[in-house]
């Protein structure tokens, strides 16, 4: 495994240069699914899946939800987008694998979502943290906040601060858990928070994680802050070697009180491509959100 660092990196530029199917490792006849990033900054990044890849993905999300205490007795409302985006189908397949009842709500139509949330007594909601805050606002405005049956939320697909988590948990009286993934690696379920909520356990049997210096590419020792790199260990259709995520975080093998021994990654502190350098100081948008929330403002801002 030490020799892995001798291999070159894979980057998002490689994926765009080989769009759409240049990176596939099996014939298209063996692929059963295509997912894609938004493509807002150029050609979208496409990921292909075999049947086994779908099973691995579903297993990763199922584990993630189990860490949050979700069981077959729960009702899971999925309000991530369905379609090319991995959020909706990822959460859907993971919850079904656990045996939970899934409500495939999708995005938009908040009024109908709230009706389904309350009438069907959903105990878990999967959506972006910013949309969950919007749902909380609507529930408060309509006086229905005490009618919900939620115990937890599975939030991801965008950066969010601990201050935003505190708002969500306080206003909805739930536990809000972070989920991590990328379209290029498989989608959500690469890593997930346990009940301790002090970082996300990486599903190491499927993904090997490294932290590198984003400028030199040098592998950094455990506990160092740098760019997160993933290698797919058992994907078939679209395996990636040393894929640079552009997310800045820290890896740790400190013992976790939950008993799991999987390596933990810190909540990403920012991305190498959204970092601003202001008077020689590195600033990430997430830091601006933290200040706004600490001062009592809403987490909405324009840079």
């Amino acid at each position: 495994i030490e020799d892995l660092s001798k291999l070159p990196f894979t980057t998002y530029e490689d994926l765009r240069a080989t769009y759409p199917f240049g990176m596939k490792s099996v014939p298209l006849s063996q692929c059963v699914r295509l997912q894609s990033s938004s493509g807002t900054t150029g050609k979208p990044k496409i990921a292909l899946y075999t049947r086994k890849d779908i099973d691995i993905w579903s297993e990763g999300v199922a584990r993630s939800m189990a860490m949050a205490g979700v069981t077959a007795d729960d009702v899971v409302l999925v309000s991530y987008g369905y379609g090319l985006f991995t959020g909706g189908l990822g959460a859907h397949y993971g919850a079904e694998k656990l045996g939970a009842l899934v409500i495939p709500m999708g995005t938009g139509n908040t009024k109908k979502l709230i009706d389904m949330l309350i009438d069907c007594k959903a105990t878990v909601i999967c959506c972006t943290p910013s949309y969950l805050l919007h749902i909380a606002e609507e529930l408060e405005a309509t006086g229905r906040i005490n009618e919900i049956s939620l115990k937890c939320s599975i939030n991801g697909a965008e950066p969010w601060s601990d201050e935003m988590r505190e708002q969500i948990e306080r206003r909805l009286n739930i536990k809000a858990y972070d989920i991590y993934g990328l379209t290029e690696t498989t989608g959500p379920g690469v890593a997930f928070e346990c009940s301790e909520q002090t970082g996300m356990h990486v599903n190491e049997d499927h993904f090997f994680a490294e932290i590198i210096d984003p400028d030199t590419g040098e592998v950094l020792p455990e506990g160092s802050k740098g760019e997160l790199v993933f290698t797919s260990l058992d994907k078939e259709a679209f395996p990636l070697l040393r894929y640079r995520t552009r997310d800045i975080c820290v890896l740790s093998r400190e013992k976790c009180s939950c008993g799991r021994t999987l390596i933990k990654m810190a909540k990403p502190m920012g991305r190498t491509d959204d970092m601003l350098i202001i008077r020689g100081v590195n600033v990430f948008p997430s830091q601006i959100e933290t200040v706004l929330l600490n001062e009592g403002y809403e987490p909405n801002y324009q840079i």
Side-chain angles (χ1 to χ4, degrees):
I1 199 73
E2 291 77 17
D3 286 340
L4 189 65
S5 62
K6 298 176 182 177
L7 295 174
F9 297 109
T10 309
T11 67
Y12 77 102
E13 288 92 349
D14 296 324
L15 306 190
R16 286 179 174 149
T18 56
Y19 172 90
F21 299 139
M23 297 286 280
K24 67 179 172 59
S25 297
V26 299
L28 278 181
S29 59
Q30 294 180 29
C31 299
V32 298
R33 176 84 64 78
L34 180 153
Q35 304 276 172
S36 172
S37 68
S38 62
T40 51
T41 55
K43 287 280 188 186
K45 291 166 282 187
I46 278 180
L48 295 167
Y49 301 74
T50 64
R51 171 52 54 196
K52 179 188 172 187
D53 292 337
I54 295 290
D55 290 341
I56 290 170
W57 184 15
S58 304
E59 168 76 16
V61 179
R63 286 184 195 175
S64 303
M65 290 184 171
M67 282 193 212
V70 182
T71 70
D73 296 325
D74 282 298
V75 178
V76 180
L77 190 149
V78 177
S79 191
Y80 288 119
Y82 280 74
L84 290 174
F85 172 59
T86 54
L89 287 166
H92 186 119
Y93 273 55
E96 278 191 353
K97 192 170 185 71
L98 271 181
L101 175 63
V102 182
I103 305 173
M105 190 74 214
T107 54
N109 200 341
T110 305
K111 182 182 181 302
K112 184 176 181 180
L113 181 149
I114 287 173
D115 288 341
M116 295 293 285
L117 192 70
I118 292 171
D119 297 343
C120 299
K121 293 183 168 50
T123 52
V124 182
I125 185 168
C126 305
C127 63
T128 62
S130 56
Y131 187 48
L132 189 53
L133 269 184
H134 176 63
I135 292 169
E137 289 168 6
E138 289 297 309
L139 285 165
E140 289 163 351
T142 55
R144 305 189 73 187
I145 195 81
N146 294 322
E147 297 178 45
I148 62 173
S149 304
L150 289 177
K151 67 177 187 181
C152 71
S153 62
I154 313 293
N155 303 118
E158 65 186 16
W160 57 308
S161 61
D162 286 329
E163 288 74 16
M164 184 183 279
R165 186 214 301 273
E166 188 277 328
Q167 271 208 27
I168 289 170
E169 293 188 336
R170 175 173 48 80
R171 292 168 74 171
L172 292 169
N173 193 28
I174 62 173
K175 293 278 278 183
Y177 292 95
D178 209 348
I179 191 168
Y180 178 89
L182 306 119
T183 302
E184 305 93 298
T185 52
T186 192
V190 173
F192 193 79
E193 280 185 322
C194 62
S195 54
E196 195 173 272
Q197 293 180 300
T198 56
M200 291 175 276
H201 290 282
V202 177
N203 281 321
E204 287 187 273
D205 48 342
H206 301 304
F207 306 98
F208 183 82
E210 301 173 274
I211 292 289
I212 65 164
D213 182 314
D215 295 323
T216 67
E218 175 193 2
V219 177
L220 300 176
E222 180 189 327
S224 303
K225 182 169 74 171
E227 183 179 351
L228 183 61
V229 171
F230 277 119
T231 294
S232 306
L233 299 179
D234 52 7
K235 283 193 70 179
E236 294 179 336
F238 201 75
L240 295 179
L241 289 172
R242 307 196 77 206
Y243 182 71
R244 295 185 63 159
T245 67
R246 298 182 290 163
D247 286 326
I248 301 294
C249 75
V250 175
L251 293 175
S252 171
R253 284 205 177 275
E254 283 186 21
K255 189 174 181 180
C256 184
S257 63
C258 79
R260 292 177 182 84
T261 56
L262 297 167
I263 199 167
K264 288 172 86 169
M265 59 174 277
K267 180 189 280 287
M269 301 158 191
R271 291 172 63 80
T272 58
D273 55 353
D274 70 5
M275 183 179 76
L276 309 170
I277 301 176
I278 302 172
R279 294 176 186 168
V281 178
N282 296 347
V283 178
F284 294 102
S286 56
Q287 294 172 297
I288 294 167
E289 177 185 286
T290 294
V291 173
L292 288 173
L293 285 165
N294 281 336
E295 294 296 321
Y297 295 100
E298 293 297 314
N300 306 313
Y301 54 91
Q302 184 177 45
I303 299 177

